[in-house]
Amino acid sequence: MVPARDLLARARLLVAPELSAPLVRELERITGRGAEPLGDGEPAAGPLLCVGAALPGALRTDRLLWFHSVNAGTDPLLAAAPWPAGALLTRTVGRMGERIAQYVLGWVLAECQSVPEFTAQHARAEWRRLPSELVAGQTALVYGTGRIGGAVAGLLRGCGVRTVGVARTARTGPPPPGFDRVIGADEDAGELAGARWVISALPLTGATEGFFGAGRFAAVRRATFVNVGRGATVDMGALETALRGGGVRSAVLDVLPEEPAAPADPVWRLPRTVITSHSAGITADADVTRDFTACWEAVAAGRRPELAVDTGRGY
């Protein structure tokens, strides 16, 4: 639902205390009003426009017109408590797709050029030739065909990789930009067997929790698994079994079911696995400013923003 203009005009702007001073000034400039701190207590009367990463329970009322998340993933917001009926939820994507796509490509190329192995040899002062592997002509199976998955697929496709997207259901007509083909999630077994890389850019919803389990990993035949979506979409026990059994060649995990991982967490001891501490798509202030501006302009014109979240579906 798009907030009524008269209510938006009267809405108080509440911003999370962790937002930088320059970003807060930009939000004040865009909305034409001063900002107040977003805290755990309920503020004085009036409709509310909030910007931050988390929404306190005291603000989950019918006074909330709009919450703009400074993150792309909104699953923690929706899982914390029921979302207020009628409140608009928008999110920040910015250049995250571009950043995550470069992250994925970097790891793909590093693997094919034996960068980890050469780095280890250098530390031993060892001179030994290692084979390289061409990416062109190989297949990447990308789960999630939205902004981030599409950006990942587009960059890989530019290197000659065959890109197959996996969506909730199969699509008719031409595939979206970046993909050679899009299939439904229930028909991925054959592509899993032939993929060189299996890349997850899935959001976390009721339908995707534990999505990568024993069945899917059993279908993999020496592919590298890369997760840039959400950690809880992966059954970590099933991934460990596949890694130790050799079906999954290696793994690059930017996200985990429980973050941050403590030093004693077993995930650090998974074989042939690198964990990168949820760093693939860090959001910059410029991303928040750009996306909030686009959402503000759409709402002011009475339109639903492109970055609006379907709170029922979770993305």
Side-chain angles (χ1 to χ4, degrees):
M1 181 180 296
V2 177
R5 294 184 188 180
D6 61 326
L7 291 177
L8 186 61
R10 295 189 290 111
R12 304 174 67 172
L13 174 63
L14 305 185
V15 300
E18 64 268 20
L19 301 190
S20 70
L23 175 55
V24 172
R25 288 195 294 270
E26 279 298 292
L27 295 172
E28 291 177 324
R29 180 190 62 80
I30 295 164
T31 62
R33 68 204 71 191
E36 304 172 54
L38 191 162
D40 292 331
E42 186 172 359
L48 303 175
L49 163 58
C50 304
V51 181
L55 180 63
L59 302 182
R60 292 176 181 261
T61 70
D62 57 6
R63 294 175 56 203
L64 181 67
L65 292 182
W66 174 12
F67 186 95
H68 182 79
S69 172
V70 297
N71 298 320
T74 56
D75 46 281
L77 276 167
L78 297 174
W83 192 254
L88 175 67
L89 174 60
T90 56
R91 64 192 184 114
T92 301
V93 175
R95 300 182 71 178
M96 183 176 294
E98 183 180 352
R99 291 187 179 95
I100 291 177
Q102 291 185 14
Y103 168 97
V104 172
L105 178 62
W107 283 104
V108 164
L109 294 177
E111 180 180 49
C112 288
Q113 293 300 318
S114 300
V115 170
E117 292 82 1
F118 276 121
T119 301
Q121 281 191 183
H122 177 88
R124 300 191 299 266
E126 177 184 352
W127 179 284
R128 181 166 59 91
R129 283 185 172 180
L130 296 174
S132 62
E133 180 183 357
L134 292 175
V135 300
Q138 305 207 60
T139 296
L141 196 58
V142 182
Y143 287 78
T145 56
R147 290 171 179 254
I148 293 174
V152 169
L155 205 55
L156 292 175
R157 196 177 186 213
C159 294
V161 177
R162 174 178 174 262
T163 56
V164 179
V166 184
R168 287 185 307 154
T169 57
R171 300 182 183 180
T172 58
F179 293 99
D180 291 295
R181 181 185 178 210
V182 172
I183 62 175
D186 60 349
E187 53 183 340
D188 60 350
E191 292 290 354
L192 279 167
R196 176 62 180 81
W197 297 280
V198 176
I199 302 161
S200 175
L202 290 177
L204 179 60
T205 68
T208 63
E209 186 170 3
F211 182 89
F212 292 97
R216 280 193 166 83
F217 284 128
V220 174
R221 299 289 182 269
R222 298 293 294 163
T224 294
F225 179 69
V226 182
N227 191 4
V228 291
R230 281 290 180 263
T233 62
V234 179
D235 179 332
M236 296 299 291
L239 174 59
E240 180 175 6
T241 298
L243 284 163
R244 296 194 184 281
V248 173
R249 179 189 305 245
S250 60
V252 179
L253 307 177
D254 189 52
V255 290
L256 296 171
E258 299 292 334
E259 299 178 1
D265 194 311
V267 296
W268 297 110
R269 296 186 292 278
L270 289 174
R272 304 181 307 284
T273 296
V274 176
I275 295 169
T276 60
S277 310
H278 211 143
S279 303
I282 294 175
T283 303
D285 282 359
D287 297 324
V288 179
T289 299
R290 187 179 76 171
D291 285 356
F292 180 79
T293 298
C295 291
W296 177 265
E297 291 173 350
V299 169
R303 303 191 312 272
R304 178 177 171 83
E306 290 186 9
L307 291 168
V309 175
D310 183 330
T311 56
R313 293 169 62 180
Y315 58 93

